[in-house]
Every structure is written in C-alpha cells, then in structure tokens.
Amino acid sequence: MAHLVFVLASTGNNKTLAESVSVRAQELGHAVDILSLNDYEFPLYSTKMEEKTDALPGLDDLMNRLGQADAWMVFAPEYNGSFPPVLNNVVAWLSRQGDDFRQLFRDRTVALATHSGGGGSHVIMAMRMQFSYLGCNVIGRSLMTNNKKPANPDTVTALINSMTQT
C-alpha cells in the first residue's frame, strides 16, 4: 500500500477529477491525501518577501504532507498555456527552503493530470518541464480530461500503478 498525495492547483473540475482518481486508488489499496494549494494563503514569492518572512504559516505542514508521500499526482487546469499561478508560487516557496532547492523534489515520483477547457497539453508540458527540472521522476503517461472527454479508466489505473511501483 502506497501513500499518495494528490496536489490540487484549483478547485472545481480538477477537484472532482482528483476525487474520482482517489476512489480508484483506494480501491487498489492505497491511502490518498488530497491537498489543495488554495488552502495555503502564501504571499506572492519574491526575494524581498522571503527576506521579510521568518516563518510562513502552513509551510511546514505542506512540506511534511508532501514529504511523507510515496508519490504525488498534480491536478491543474491550463492557464494561458501554462499552469495556475498558485502552483508556481507554492513551488517557489518550497524550493527556497534549506540549502538545496531540489531537496523535497529529488527522485519524487510525480504523475500529472488536468481537466482543462481545451486539450490541456500545454499545462501538462509546463508541469512536466518544471517537475523534471526540480529532479522529480515524472511519469510519461498523463491524464487529460475536459467536458467532452472524461477520464479514461484504463489511464487512471495505469497511472496509479506507475506511481506505486517499487
């Protein structure tokens, strides 16, 4: 049994998608923690803000929840050909903790998913690039849905299996 963290970079359709994938993961015997980045009201990252901030409320909790996971699945809609600002902001804050910006990310298995108005390929490419750069092992297959294309159950199961292989 694996401990998976599903990271939500929005609410609405991506939350619904994460909840449905969570049901399947639990059916396969895995524990799932659904974590909404919108619950963490971090200020916009800047070096000036970092210098002024001694302890960011919620950052330790977020790092612990992510750090305890065997794998992550990130759910984000496409925003202007990329990912939502909340995701980039949280990654910026997380990467500035400690002496090694890749510490939390290195060798972490990450799956990518989106429910987007369009096809969602741009958000998947943008997340793949960022998480790969941070040292994550990003699964090649991704989950892309929209109002006309529901989640493929075979893809969902394959992604969960890829996330939980040891």
Side-chain angles (χ1 to χ4, degrees), residues 101-155:
F101 74 96
R102 289 186 171 111
Q103 183 175 348
L104 182 64
F105 303 93
R106 185 178 293 109
D107 298 324
R108 182 80 55 188
T109 299
V110 175
L112 305 174
T114 185
H115 180 100
S116 294
S121 60
H122 289 94
V123 67
I124 295 295
M125 286 187 299
M127 289 192 297
R128 183 176 309 284
M129 189 174 0
Q130 183 169 48
F131 285 108
S132 294
Y133 179 80
L134 290 167
C136 296
N137 296 320
V138 182
I139 296 170
R141 192 172 191 170
S142 57
L143 180 61
M144 295 186 290
T145 69
N146 59 41
N147 290 334
K148 295 179 182 177
K149 181 185 169 205
N152 179 326
D154 293 335
T155 299

Side-chain angles (χ1 to χ4, degrees), residues 4-125:
L4 309 175
V5 171
F6 288 3
V7 179
L8 298 177
S10 73
T11 56
N13 290 323
N14 279 278
K15 180 179 180 187
T16 301
L17 179 60
E19 289 168 345
S20 70
V21 175
S22 174
V23 168
R24 181 65 182 134
Q26 291 173 41
E27 289 171 353
L28 294 170
H30 306 293
V32 178
D33 177 12
I34 298 179
L35 184 156
S36 175
L37 299 181
N38 289 310
D39 291 344
Y40 297 90
E41 297 184 8
F42 298 157
L44 180 62
Y45 177 81
S46 69
T47 53
K48 182 178 178 182
M49 184 58 73
E50 182 181 11
E51 291 168 2
K52 293 181 0 179
T53 306
D54 290 329
L56 197 59
L59 187 59
D60 287 339
D61 172 68
L62 178 60
M63 290 179 66
N64 287 333
R65 288 174 73 183
L66 291 170
Q68 292 173 4
D70 295 309
W72 305 337
M73 189 166 194
V74 182
F75 295 80
E78 193 166 285
Y79 274 41
N80 301 317
S82 190
F83 42 78
V86 68
L87 179 58
N88 194 50
N89 192 50
V90 166
V91 167
W93 280 108
L94 290 170
S95 69
R96 295 297 297 156
Q97 305 309 301
D99 296 332
D100 178 2
F101 74 96
R102 289 186 171 111
Q103 183 175 348
L104 182 64
F105 303 93
R106 185 178 293 109
D107 298 324
R108 182 80 55 188
T109 299
V110 175
L112 305 174
T114 185
H115 180 100
S116 294
S121 60
H122 289 94
V123 67
I124 295 295
M125 286 187 299

